[in-house]
Amino acid sequence: MARRLIQLYGGLALYGASSALLVKAGLGLEPWNVLHQGLAELTGLSMGVVLTIVGAAVLLLWVPLRQRPGLGTVSNVLVIGAAMDATLSALPDAHALTVRIPLLLAGIVLNGAATGLYIAADFGPGPRDGLMTGLHRRTGRSIRLIRTAVELTVVATGFALGGTVGVGTVLYALSIGPLAQLFLRLFAVPSASAGSTVVATGSPERVILRR
């Protein structure tokens, strides 16, 4: 349990920090953060505060979908936004491509590691992940179709509001799945009742995180 809690909160904090690296790189954000950045531009709130508000709003959508949040779900809403804002305030702005490109690559890899850490802790999905799996169960549509439709919607909305879409958005979309799967196996927590791990036979539905 101690290891799982460390993985949960370490992973969530790292997720927020890695997302901040992508913001500082300015070469394109992950889909949901395009929306968060656009809303931040519109409202004048920080991205972390917007991320927290949107996460809480998405969590309310779980009610009609009959989804049950876990500790990881609630912690996701509270921790990631705070970690993002703290990292954004600590990092200077980057202007040269020689700095922005390494920031982008580091942000994507660290985001994959963060995904593996907190999902492998097995305390429940994030609000956005639960929304997708809930819609999958209620509609019978595939996870791939639902995820694509949701993320295209949030990217388009965020871009219209001023969010950053670029090569980083595409690179993130192509690489986050394999990276998350790699780190899920790396950080798998051994089961107490058997020699297996919590992700050894996990469904691909679990690797759909976008904060």
Side-chain angles (χ1 to χ4, degrees):
M1 178 61 72
R3 173 181 167 176
R4 291 171 62 207
L5 286 170
I6 291 170
Q7 283 195 199
L8 171 65
Y9 290 106
L12 292 174
L14 183 59
Y15 196 98
S18 65
S19 294
L21 294 182
L22 297 178
V23 174
K24 289 294 185 179
L27 296 172
L29 302 176
E30 61 267 52
W32 278 94
N33 273 338
V34 176
L35 176 63
H36 299 149
Q37 188 181 52
L39 289 172
E41 293 285 341
L42 179 67
T43 62
L45 298 173
S46 70
M47 276 192 69
V49 170
V50 170
L51 187 152
T52 301
I53 293 172
V54 171
V58 171
L59 194 55
L60 291 176
L61 297 177
W62 283 32
V63 177
L65 296 175
R66 298 179 182 176
Q67 292 277 91
R68 292 185 178 180
L71 175 64
T73 310
V74 178
S75 298
N76 184 295
V77 174
L78 299 175
V79 174
I80 293 180
M84 174 186 277
D85 275 351
T87 306
L88 286 172
S89 65
L91 291 176
D93 291 333
H95 302 288
L97 279 177
T98 53
V99 177
R100 294 166 65 197
I101 291 174
L103 280 177
L104 171 67
L105 297 177
I108 292 174
V109 173
L110 290 176
N111 197 278
T115 299
L117 273 169
Y118 102 73
I119 291 184
D122 203 27
F123 279 108
R128 298 153 187 82
D129 299 336
L131 174 64
M132 293 178 194
T133 55
L135 287 171
H136 161 68
R137 282 193 291 269
R138 292 299 296 269
T139 66
R141 302 291 185 178
S142 70
I143 284 286
R144 179 177 299 178
L145 175 62
I146 290 171
R147 174 176 172 174
T148 300
V150 170
E151 294 196 348
L152 283 176
T153 300
V154 299
V155 166
T157 304
F159 181 70
L161 294 173
T164 304
V165 176
V167 64
T169 309
V170 177
L171 183 59
Y172 182 94
L174 293 175
S175 60
I176 193 59
L179 283 170
Q181 187 63 42
L182 169 66
F183 286 110
L184 273 166
R185 295 187 181 279
L186 181 63
F187 297 124
V189 178
S191 170
S193 60
S196 62
T197 63
V198 296
V199 297
T201 58
S203 165
E205 292 177 15
R206 300 180 67 179
V207 192
I208 60 170
L209 180 90
R210 289 297 164 273
R211 302 358 352 146

